[in-house]
């Protein structure tokens, strides 16, 4: 049972880090997740006996490694219900995916064109577009958030224009936990002919993602936030949109022919995958996808919600805690402040109390400015967390208050 | 004392709650900003240096208990020293934090030694000192008497 006597149990105990650190509560899943044993085992086996380069070799190991990577491409295609496997572009992570999208679109942007971002974006979805705007003369428009931490869709409805070329928005906020209404944004963008790029880093391990149902043009994720390896991610894009992008990384693997005077580039997905890819990491992503599919979204979402609701209720029961982000549609991400105590001090004391949280601006300084705080404390849940982790968090916060009484 | 008690000694908590020399020097002859981009902590250190002596040492800004207490203790310790004496004390303090050095001659600053067991927090204790160093290195600017 997920929930016995009002207590939420872990969904999986197959995480070696969690076993090795018994008695310690890892609540920094928004930053990165621990690795499922199947991921570790697959990478170890692959590097131990199967490793070779991909795409180029005529020998058996290279062909098998290529096949292993392509299998993961197909697995990811199924995972997000993408129409075609060639639309799944392997990257090194969300930051690389968003840079590929932004700089890839730069040649289509003209002075005065609008790039629409939101106040809650992660720096990975701010800085590439800012750079592209500076180089093209495009203008950045920023969608405000409401007091509960949701996007102001009314504002959006009246501020997208014929000049809006792209809306780039996160699916789930890494600070507020808010799940944004992507289909609603897509409907507005379509009316003005704008493309929609979605930063799915915080969504991919928490809610089902069906890129066709969402209707977006691009969806970007990291492997390491979905119980898979670091150094690998996916940029999915519609074939028509991907085909308009200039490559972001030029070099080996992405070319058709190279002469001393010029080069021609290969088709999708290779055109956007310059250089030797993170082969072992791509292979290791496969079991992470399989793990999430095996557990299933109904259980993952019920577990995430049970922990979020329990933690929210119990934190609100403590004096001096303010929670940032109170949308009714949230994932298991809770940002909060402790009155009179800086988040850094909270983080150090919680670590002494065997709890890992993130403290700081969460790479979302524009959002911190809107919230009027320099930093927050963030607890974010994963499949191995349970009510016991919330017990430790609450006990740790009581210790914080005892030190700073 | 537990690790936490060493980190958050009463002296640290007192200086955090009621920091000394919090504000801006008047007139300002030297100033610099110390910024920790990882956590958003930011302080401005302002000095009044007359005849090579620190007449006023002030700091302002926001940050954690450790950084604020460090600013308060620093301002108290440096006020009245010559620039050379202050830089020597700064070096001795940074050595104490980073290399497990001797607390001799550091007085109340030794209370910040608890951070040595919290490597992630050493930067909190050194932030305002780096700003002080930068203020001196900036060479200062002449004080207008108008």
């Amino acid at each position: 049972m997920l929930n016995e006597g009002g207590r939420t149990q872990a969904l999986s105990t197959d995480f070696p880090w969690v076993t090795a650190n018994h008695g310690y509560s890892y609540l920094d899943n928004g930053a990165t997740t621990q690795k499922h044993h199947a991921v570790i085992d697959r990478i170890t086996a692959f590097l131990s006996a199967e490793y070779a380069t991909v795409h180029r070799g005529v020998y058996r190991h290279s062909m098998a490694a290529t096949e292993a990577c392509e299998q993961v491409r197909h697995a990811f295609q199924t995972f997000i219900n993408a129409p075609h496997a060639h639309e799944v572009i392997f990257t090194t992570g969300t930051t690389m995916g968003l840079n590929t999208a932004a700089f890839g679109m730069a040649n289509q942007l003209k002075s005065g064109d609008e790039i629409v971002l939101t106040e809650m974006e992660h720096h990975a979805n701010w800085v590439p577009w800012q750079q592209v705007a500076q180089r093209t003369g495009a203008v950045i428009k920023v969608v405000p958030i409401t007091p509960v931490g949701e996007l102001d869709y009314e504002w959006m409805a009246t501020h997208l224009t014929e000049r809006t070329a792209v809306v780039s928005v996160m699916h789930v906020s890494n600070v507020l936990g808010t799940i944004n209404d992507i289909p609603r944004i897509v409907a507005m963008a379509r009316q003005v002919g704008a493309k929609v790029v979605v930063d799915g880093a915080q969504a991919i391990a928490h809610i089902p993602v069906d890129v066709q149902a969402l209707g977006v043009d691009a969806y970007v994720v990291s492997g390491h936030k979905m119980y898979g390896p670091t150094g690998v991610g996916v940029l999915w894009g519609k074939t028509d949109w991907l085909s308009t992008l200039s490559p972001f990384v030029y070099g080996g693997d992405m070319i058709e022919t190279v002469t001393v005077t010029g080069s021609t580039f290969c088709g999708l997905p290779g055109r956007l995958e310059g250089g030797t890819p993170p082969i072992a990491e791509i292979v290791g992503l496969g079991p992470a996808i399989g793990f999430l599919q095996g557990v299933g979204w109904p259980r993952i979402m019920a577990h995430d919600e049970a922990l979020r609701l329990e933690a929210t209720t119990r934190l609100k029961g403590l004096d001096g805690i303010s929670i940032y982000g109170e949308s009714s549609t949230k994932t298991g991400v809770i940002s909060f402040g402790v009155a009179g105590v800086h988040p850094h001090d909270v983080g150090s004391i919680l670590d002494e109390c065997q709890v890992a949280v993130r403290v700081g601006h969460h790479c979302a300084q524009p959002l911190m400015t809107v919230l009027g705080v320099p930093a927050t404390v963030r607890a974010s849940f994963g499949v191995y967390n349970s009510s016991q982790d919330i017990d430790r968090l609450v006990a740790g916060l009581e210790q914080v208050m005892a030190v700073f009484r | 004392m537990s690790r936490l008690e060493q980190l958050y000694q009463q002296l640290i908590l007192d200086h955090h709650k009621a920091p000394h020399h919090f504000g801006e020097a008047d007139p300002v002859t030297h100033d610099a900003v110390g910024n920790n981009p990882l956590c958003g902590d930011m302080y401005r250190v302002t000095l009044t240096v007359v005849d090579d002596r620190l007449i006023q040492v002030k700091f302002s800004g926001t940050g954690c208990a450790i950084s604020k207490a460090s600013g308060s203790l620093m301002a108290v310790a440096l006020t009245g020293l010559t620039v050379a004496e202050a830089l020597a004390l700064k070096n001795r303090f940074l050595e104490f934090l980073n290399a497990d050095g001797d607390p001799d001659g550091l007085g109340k600053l030794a209370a910040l030694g608890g951070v040595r067991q919290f490597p992630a927090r050493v930067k909190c204790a050194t932030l305002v000192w780096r700003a002080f160093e930068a203020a001196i290195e900036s060479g200062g600017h002449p004080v207008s008497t108008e």
Side-chain angles (χ1 to χ4, degrees):
Chain A
M1 272 299 286
L2 178 68
N3 200 309
E4 283 174 34
R7 302 279 291 173
T8 303
Q9 312 298 318
L11 272 184
S12 171
T13 53
D14 295 331
F15 286 78
W17 190 98
V18 177
T19 306
N21 292 278
H22 180 73
Y24 191 94
S25 290
Y26 184 77
L27 297 179
D28 196 17
N29 294 286
T32 195
T33 51
Q34 299 301 336
K35 310 309 168 200
H36 192 273
H37 83 80
V39 171
I40 299 168
D41 293 351
R42 183 70 190 101
I43 291 177
T44 303
F46 180 77
L47 288 176
S48 301
E50 302 166 47
Y51 180 77
T53 195
V54 290
H55 300 148
R56 284 176 289 263
V58 295
Y59 50 94
R60 69 194 68 183
H61 296 94
S62 178
M63 289 184 287
T66 303
E67 179 54 28
C69 286
E70 293 311 306
Q71 277 177 11
V72 176
R73 199 187 301 279
H74 281 91
F76 202 88
Q77 176 202 352
T78 304
F79 186 54
I80 61 168
N81 192 32
H84 306 288
H86 68 250
E87 297 175 332
V88 174
I89 310 295
F90 287 124
T91 66
T92 58
T94 302
T95 298
M96 175 66 105
L98 290 168
N99 272 276
T100 303
F103 284 91
M105 285 187 79
N107 65 346
Q108 306 165 36
L109 296 172
K110 302 178 297 295
S111 182
D113 282 354
E114 295 164 358
I115 298 165
V116 174
L117 307 176
T118 84
E119 283 181 340
M120 63 173 77
E121 296 313 309
H122 187 282
H123 294 168
N125 200 26
W126 273 106
V127 186
W129 295 111
Q130 275 178 342
Q131 289 295 314
V132 166
Q134 283 170 18
R135 288 163 204 210
T136 60
V139 178
I140 290 181
K141 276 186 165 177
V142 184
V143 181
I145 60 169
T146 66
V148 294
E150 293 176 351
L151 292 178
D152 187 340
Y153 298 101
E154 307 292 324
W155 187 97
M156 216 168 178
T158 55
H159 287 78
L160 297 192
T161 73
E162 299 297 322
R163 299 302 305 269
T164 305
V166 58
V167 179
S168 191
V169 58
M170 64 202 329
H171 196 171
V172 171
S173 165
N174 65 317
V175 175
L176 306 165
T178 312
I179 304 171
N180 291 323
D181 189 345
I182 299 298
R184 188 171 175 185
I185 293 168
V186 170
M188 286 188 267
R190 290 295 174 251
Q191 287 188 355
V192 297
K195 301 297 181 190
V196 178
V197 175
V198 176
D199 167 359
Q202 296 293 331
I204 196 70
H206 296 271
I207 54 176
V209 172
D210 177 331
V211 291
Q212 296 189 70
L214 290 172
V216 299
D217 295 286
Y219 199 92
V220 186
V221 303
S222 292
H224 73 96
K225 292 190 205 279
M226 51 182 283
Y227 312 107
T230 47
V232 62
V234 167
L235 160 64
W236 170 82
K238 282 183 179 168
T239 301
D240 288 351
W241 177 80
L242 286 173
S243 302
T244 66
L245 298 188
S246 317
F248 178 57
V249 177
Y250 294 87
D253 248 18
M254 52 81 69
I255 49 82
E256 203 171 51
T257 59
V258 178
T259 68
V260 292
T261 54
S263 304
T264 58
F265 309 124
C266 61
L268 296 171
R271 195 168 67 87
L272 297 172
E273 293 181 344
T276 298
I279 300 167
E281 290 77 7
I282 291 171
V283 169
L285 186 61
I289 298 167
F291 165 69
L292 289 167
Q293 288 171 324
V295 178
W297 292 117
R299 293 180 70 213
I300 292 171
M301 289 196 295
H303 174 263
D304 203 46
E305 175 160 274
L307 291 176
R308 172 173 66 84
L309 294 176
E310 182 189 348
T312 303
T313 303
R314 293 178 68 185
L315 291 189
K316 281 183 171 174
L318 299 170
D319 281 338
I321 302 281
S322 338
I323 292 179
Y324 304 105
E326 301 207 74
S327 170
S328 54
T329 54
K330 280 183 72 170
T331 61
V333 172
I334 303 175
S335 276
F336 59 95
V338 181
V341 189
H342 191 279
H344 251 190
D345 296 310
V346 176
S348 286
I349 296 173
L350 288 180
D351 178 46
E352 287 299 294
C353 298
Q354 311 299 312
V355 181
V357 292
R358 174 79 185 269
V359 296
H361 54 56
H362 316 291
C363 297
Q365 284 180 321
L367 177 58
M368 295 294 116
T369 304
V370 171
L371 296 175
V373 294
T376 74
V377 185
R378 180 187 70 187
S380 49
F381 299 107
V383 289
Y384 28 69
N385 290 129
S386 69
S387 291
Q388 202 179 13
D389 297 313
I390 301 174
D391 295 344
R392 284 197 199 100
L393 175 63
V394 169
L397 290 171
E398 284 167 346
Q399 177 73 40
V400 169
M401 289 159 193
V403 170
F404 283 88
R405 69 189 174 278
Chain B
M1 273 197 292
S2 73
R3 282 158 45 94
L4 270 186
E5 285 164 347
Q6 286 178 43
L7 183 64
Y8 295 110
Q9 294 180 29
Q10 196 56 48
L11 183 72
I12 302 289
L13 294 171
D14 290 346
H15 277 261
H16 158 61
K17 275 182 192 151
H20 299 226
H21 299 249
F22 197 72
E24 307 252 316
D26 183 25
V28 176
T29 60
H30 296 66
D31 70 310
V33 168
N35 176 21
N36 183 345
L38 289 178
C39 58
D41 287 0
M42 194 181 284
Y43 289 99
R44 180 163 182 250
V45 171
T46 54
L47 310 172
T48 309
V49 180
V50 176
D51 294 336
D52 222 30
R53 191 170 288 278
L54 296 161
I55 303 301
Q56 285 186 72
V57 179
K58 297 266 193 167
F59 79 112
S60 59
T62 56
C64 64
I66 302 302
S67 60
K68 191 168 276 181
S70 186
S72 177
L73 289 164
M74 176 188 83
V76 171
L78 298 188
T79 301
L81 300 186
T82 65
V83 170
E85 288 167 345
L87 289 173
L89 182 60
K90 176 213 64 159
N91 288 338
R92 208 178 318 148
F93 176 70
L94 296 183
E95 221 168 85
F96 166 62
L97 289 193
N98 292 322
D100 227 7
D102 198 326
D104 283 357
L106 289 175
K108 288 181 176 175
L109 293 172
L112 288 159
V115 299
R116 290 179 300 179
Q117 293 184 67
F118 294 82
R121 303 303 300 280
V122 170
K123 272 186 187 162
C124 305
T126 59
L127 181 61
V128 281
W129 293 81
R130 295 296 182 193
F132 165 72
E133 185 177 40
I136 293 295
E137 281 172 1
S138 73
H141 32 81
V143 182
S144 167
T145 52
E146 296 304 310

